[in-house]
Amino acid sequence: MKIIAIGRNYAEHIEELKNERPSAPVVFLKPDTAVLKNNMPFFHPDFSENIHHEVELILKINKEGKYIKREFAHRYFEEIGIGIDFTARDLQDQCKAKGLPWEIAKGFNGSAPVGEFLPVATFKDFNDINFHLLINGEQRQKGNTSMMLFDFGVIIEYVSQFFTLKKGDLIFTGTPAGVGKVNIGDRLEAFIEDQKLLDFEVK
C-alpha cells in the first residue's frame, strides 16, 4: 500500500505557515513504513527538534482505479478515518530553503499514526464532517470538511491521473490550522465528530 497525502488544503493552515495558496492539490507520498497502527506510541526521532502534529481525515481506497472522474470518486472508498501527518518542520524548512524535496521530513518511520475507520454510511454529507485533535486533553486543532479547498472528489480525480489507486491505499486529505510541536510525554487523541478513533503517546 501507499500513502498519498495532500498539503495546503485548508486556507487558515496555509496562512499560518505563510505558504502560497495552490491552484491544484499539493501532493506528496509517505512509504508504508510510516504507518503506525493500534495506538502504538510514537517515538520522537533524534534527527529533529521540531516535530509538528497535523491531524487529517483519511480515505481508505477499496478498489483499483486511475483517471477517476470526480462524480465517480465516491465509489473508490468505503471508509473514512483519522490520522496524524507528523512533520519534521526543521528538516522541511531546511529542504525548502535549498529547493530540495522534503520526503525525509514527512515520510520517516512512524510519521503516519492511523486510527480506526468508520463506514461511509456513518456520514450524511462528506462536505460537513467535523474532526479535532486533543493534546493532553486540550483542543489543538479543529476542522470541518467544508473548509477544504479541494474536496474528496477533486482529490481523487487529481491524484488518480498520476498514481493508480489500489485497494488499501490511504489518502490523507490535509490539515486545518493549529499545527504545532509535540513533546515526549504528550498524549494525542483524535476524533471524528464526538467519536475518538485514535489515542496514543509520544515517547
Side-chain angles (χ1 to χ4, degrees), residues 117-185:
F117 285 79
L118 299 173
V120 293
T122 307
F123 307 98
K124 294 180 180 179
D125 184 355
F126 291 159
N127 294 314
D128 185 20
I129 301 174
N130 292 296
F131 61 104
H132 66 279
L133 173 69
L134 304 182
I135 298 184
N136 303 325
E138 176 186 341
Q139 183 171 284
R140 294 290 184 86
Q141 287 186 269
K142 182 178 182 180
N144 181 283
T145 49
S146 64
M147 302 160 60
M148 300 170 79
L149 301 183
F150 307 106
D151 64 23
F152 296 160
V154 171
I155 291 170
I156 287 177
E157 180 178 60
Y158 185 77
V159 301
S160 68
Q161 296 178 76
F162 308 100
F163 310 110
T164 298
L165 300 181
K166 293 191 172 184
K167 184 176 181 179
D169 287 351
L170 302 178
I171 300 180
F172 278 61
T173 59
T175 194
V179 303
K181 187 177 186 294
V182 295
N183 299 291
I184 293 173

Side-chain angles (χ1 to χ4, degrees), residues 103-116:
E103 270 75 8
I104 59 170
K106 286 283 192 179
F108 56 88
N109 292 336
S111 62
V114 173
E116 297 176 46

Side-chain angles (χ1 to χ4, degrees), residues 130-132 190-197:
N130 292 296
F131 61 104
H132 66 279
F191 299 73
I192 296 180
E193 300 297 346
D194 294 323
Q195 190 164 351
K196 181 162 65 174
L197 300 173

Side-chain angles (χ1 to χ4, degrees), residues 24-55:
V26 174
V27 180
F28 60 94
L29 302 178
K30 288 176 179 263
D32 58 357
T33 48
V35 173
L36 198 61
K37 295 182 177 179
N38 303 319
N39 294 319
M40 295 292 289
F42 169 73
F43 290 94
H44 196 295
D46 294 334
F47 55 71
S48 175
E49 296 180 357
N50 194 19
I51 299 289
H52 276 206
H53 58 80
E54 299 187 7
V55 68

